[in-house]
Amino acid sequence: MPRGEAPPEPRVPPQTVEEFRDRLHALNGQLPRRLQQCADHVATHLDRIALSTVAQVAQGAGVPPSAVMRFCQIMGFTGYAEMQRLFRKALSHAAPDYATRLANLKAGGVGQPATLVAEFVEAGRQSIEALARDLNETALNQAVTTLAQARTIHLAGFRRSFPVASYLAYVFDKLGVPAVLHDGVAGLGHRSTLQPGDALLAITFAPYSEETLALVAQARDRGLPVVALTDPPASQLAGVADTILTVTEIDFGAFRSLSAVIALALALAVAVAARRET
Amino acid sequence: MPRGEAPPEPRVPPQTVEEFRDRLHALNGQLPRRLQQCADHVATHLDRIALSTVAQVAQGAGVPPSAVMRFCQIMGFTGYAEMQRLFRKALSHAAPDYATRLANLKAGGVGQPATLVAEFVEAGRQSIEALARDLNETALNQAVTTLAQARTIHLAGFRRSFPVASYLAYVFDKLGVPAVLHDGVAGLGHRSTLQPGDALLAITFAPYSEETLALVAQARDRGLPVVALTDPPASQLAGVADTILTVTEIDFGAFRSLSAVIALALALAVAVAARRET
DNA sequence: GCGAAAATGGAATATTCGTTCTATTGCTGG
DNA sequence: CCAGCAATAGAACGAATATTCCATTTTCGC
């Protein structure tokens, strides 16, 4: 082993998954080939560790099991077992008895109110996880840029998209971002308010509502940028919107929980507000 | 071994957690003492099986390990290992690489749009899981009964509760349930529409909005039942609402994802519609 | 290129954990 | 009260798996 400068090879193992990630990141680039392979594979499959054996991780990384063992020790653990303990604890704490509780709610029987709650909870959770999985970061960044540059943001969303649009109006107001909610009250649109320098944020799901499509077309005619928040496939909007953000919302029965759309919309709003302040 | 009538001891193991629960339920009551202890413990700690050893399950149930083994075989598995495989598969499919993806999104850095999405996703998921955990079934059933008996349902919800109220208005409309959204357009309430036989569903979070409280008081004066959808502690509403449904909504920054409230509201709406039809 | 030190792969070993076996206990029906 | 059977507990066994060790290869400084 080298004499003078000892690389910070810690004797205390990471206590949380966060710490683990940090240490992994710090080590990146200064590892021998096989250990780097381990690091790469582990980084992209963090969740598998809790349920995999050394041999499986090794095969996944394309290295012999002994390399995985050395990797564990580099990370500060005494061995694979200790490392796995960390991830198992994280996994079991993540869902303490959520699954059981859900099953109990459902056990009441179809049609029972509690069962319905369980179904919508399940749909909401799946939608939200799908959002995290499928988020298009490029489109999101582009949307933020577009909206941050706009003088006024116009919000379009009718029928089941209306709650989202109205919540955005509330949030933008709180954040001090000029936004107009096109709510169709009194049968008149605010179409004349679409002015140069503005942008349109349209929230709409198939089948797209007439009003929203009309507003999008109008904005397009006047040369305003259009950001669409919709569900895949966004076929009809592909030609007319500059930026398309898609969200897969799982629905139970005929109705959607809107969880994923709202989460995305909120993040978008906060990011836009932050960008405008700088 | 016995000769003639073989008890229905299945040779094919349950393929899903659902099937597992069914078989467990079917066996209930006709098991010897120790096996029943196993069944009870497993039923209430379904989620632990994936990560526990035989010895741990046995200790939890207060039986020797061999009793757990016999229980596994009664359930149709060849042994504990096979049973555990079922739950591990369920666990890993539930969160395929969701956790990793979330961490990756967050890794972008504070203030990045993608990181914000991750935060709101996290908040939404926690809210939704909290709903499943803390749902008060009694209050829910009572709310359904109250609203199902109403001639017309009045919806109150302003500011950040407005999206929920407006979504409920949309859903009730689709379901053919008479509902009025008190949206405050033109500064006039629809107060005069509060008629005998109606009911009020108020959605409001602390700090409660003036308009909602006023509407609740008015309904109360006229003797109409009031159902409140709010966050704990519902101190101010305790005296004035007949039924109180609480939802703990985790917020990130100053904003809430509304996931849990919407899930509960949707379930409530569908349950009410179903009850009215019968 | 040569030598030392690090890295590597694979076999040997230790440990943990599931599974089986059997003696004993506790029932149940005659 | 006794025979017969089911249920049980604990110990012994065996398979799976983590861990260590060492011979070989690779890398890097001189």
Side-chain angles (χ1 to χ4, degrees):
Chain A
M1 54 191 80
R3 305 133 291 169
E5 42 105 19
E9 197 165 312
R11 281 287 148 242
V12 289
Q15 299 296 317
T16 69
V17 178
E18 282 303 312
E19 277 181 48
F20 182 90
R21 290 187 62 86
D22 291 347
R23 197 166 293 188
L24 196 59
H25 199 262
L27 251 46
N28 214 18
Q30 52 181 352
L31 286 174
R33 193 171 56 98
R34 289 277 113 124
L35 280 317
Q36 186 64 50
Q37 277 178 263
C38 292
D40 291 347
H41 178 260
V42 165
T44 51
H45 299 95
L46 263 195
D47 51 308
R48 289 198 203 167
I49 297 176
L51 295 173
S52 299
T53 67
V54 179
Q56 288 170 316
V57 173
Q59 190 183 346
V63 302
S66 52
V68 175
M69 288 306 296
R70 280 197 304 272
F71 170 75
C72 295
Q73 285 159 3
I74 289 280
M75 287 296 291
F77 300 100
T78 64
Y80 184 78
E82 196 183 21
M83 182 168 109
Q84 193 175 49
R85 244 198 313 280
L86 172 66
F87 286 94
R88 290 197 166 177
K89 215 186 319 178
L91 190 60
S92 62
H93 277 51
D97 59 341
Y98 166 78
T100 306
R101 172 72 170 137
L102 248 197
N104 284 343
L105 287 181
K106 278 191 196 172
V110 179
Q112 283 298 307
T115 307
L116 284 168
V117 171
E119 299 283 3
F120 280 114
V121 159
E122 197 40 34
R125 202 179 62 103
Q126 283 181 22
S127 302
I128 265 185
E129 294 190 356
L131 168 62
R133 216 178 9 256
D134 306 333
L135 176 67
N136 180 344
E137 288 193 48
T138 314
L140 176 63
N141 289 325
Q142 195 182 329
V144 171
T145 305
T146 303
L147 296 178
Q149 288 170 350
R151 198 172 132 280
T152 296
I153 297 172
H154 295 262
L155 299 169
F158 301 95
R159 316 187 136 271
R160 63 183 169 191
S161 307
F162 180 70
V164 183
S166 64
Y167 196 33
L168 274 175
Y170 171 79
V171 170
F172 275 133
D173 179 57
K174 285 281 171 207
L175 290 169
V177 175
V180 177
L181 176 63
H182 290 247
D183 51 11
V185 167
L188 41 86
H190 301 194
R191 293 190 185 177
S192 49
T193 62
L194 290 175
Q195 292 172 41
D198 294 356
L200 176 67
L201 173 53
I203 302 121
T204 181
F205 304 111
Y208 310 111
S209 76
E210 294 283 339
E211 301 97 313
T212 306
L213 290 177
L215 214 51
V216 168
Q218 184 115 7
R220 190 117 194 101
D221 285 348
R222 302 198 182 184
L224 304 191
V226 174
V227 176
L229 196 53
T230 184
D231 48 359
S235 39
Q236 270 195 65
L237 295 166
V240 288
D242 302 82
T243 309
I244 297 183
L245 284 171
T246 57
V247 212
T248 309
E249 194 83 41
I250 315 290
D251 39 72
F252 170 71
F255 301 106
R256 319 197 153 182
S257 72
L258 297 185
S259 310
V261 204
I262 290 184
L264 181 55
L266 269 180
L268 185 60
V270 173
V272 166
R275 185 78 62 88
R276 285 172 78 102
E277 279 178 5
T278 60
Chain B
M1 56 190 79
R3 304 135 292 173
E5 41 106 18
E9 197 165 316
R11 280 287 148 243
V12 287
Q15 300 296 315
T16 69
V17 178
E18 282 305 310
E19 276 180 47
F20 182 90
R21 290 187 62 89
D22 290 348
R23 198 166 295 185
L24 195 59
H25 198 262
L27 251 44
N28 213 19
Q30 51 181 353
L31 286 175
R33 194 171 54 97
R34 292 273 112 129
L35 281 319
Q36 187 63 51
Q37 277 178 263
C38 292
D40 290 347
H41 178 258
V42 165
T44 50
H45 300 95
L46 262 196
D47 51 310
R48 291 199 201 166
I49 297 177
L51 294 172
S52 299
T53 66
V54 179
Q56 289 169 316
V57 173
Q59 190 184 344
V63 302
S66 53
V68 176
M69 288 306 297
R70 272 178 292 132
F71 170 75
C72 295
Q73 285 159 3
I74 291 280
M75 287 295 292
F77 300 100
T78 64
Y80 184 78
E82 196 183 23
M83 184 168 108
Q84 193 176 49
R85 245 199 310 282
L86 171 67
F87 286 93
R88 292 198 166 179
K89 217 185 318 179
L91 190 61
S92 62
H93 278 49
D97 59 341
Y98 164 77
T100 306
R101 174 70 169 142
L102 246 199
N104 284 342
L105 287 182
K106 279 190 195 172
V110 178
Q112 284 296 307
T115 308
L116 285 169
V117 171
E119 298 285 2
F120 280 114
V121 160
E122 201 34 39
R125 203 181 60 108
Q126 284 181 21
S127 303
I128 268 185
E129 294 189 357
L131 168 62
R133 222 186 352 266
D134 306 333
L135 176 68
N136 180 343
E137 290 193 48
T138 315
L140 176 63
N141 288 327
Q142 195 182 329
V144 171
T145 305
T146 303
L147 296 177
Q149 289 169 350
R151 197 172 132 280
T152 296
I153 297 173
H154 295 262
L155 299 168
F158 300 95
R159 316 187 135 270
R160 64 182 169 193
S161 307
F162 180 70
V164 183
S166 65
Y167 196 32
L168 274 175
Y170 170 79
V171 170
F172 275 132
D173 179 59
K174 285 283 171 202
L175 290 168
V177 175
V180 177
L181 176 63
H182 290 247
D183 53 11
V185 165
L188 40 87
H190 301 195
R191 294 189 184 178
S192 50
T193 61
L194 289 176
Q195 292 172 43
D198 293 357
L200 175 67
L201 172 54
I203 303 121
T204 183
F205 303 110
Y208 310 112
S209 76
E210 294 284 338
E211 300 98 313
T212 307
L213 291 178
L215 215 51
V216 168
Q218 184 115 12
R220 191 114 197 103
D221 285 347
R222 302 197 182 185
L224 305 191
V226 174
V227 176
L229 197 53
T230 185
D231 48 0
S235 39
Q236 271 196 59
L237 295 166
V240 288
D242 302 82
T243 308
I244 296 183
L245 284 171
T246 58
V247 212
T248 309
E249 193 83 41
I250 314 289
D251 38 77
F252 170 70
F255 301 106
R256 321 198 150 180
S257 72
L258 297 185
S259 309
V261 202
I262 291 185
L264 180 54
L266 270 179
L268 184 60
V270 173
V272 167
R275 185 78 62 87
R276 286 173 78 101
E277 279 177 7
T278 59

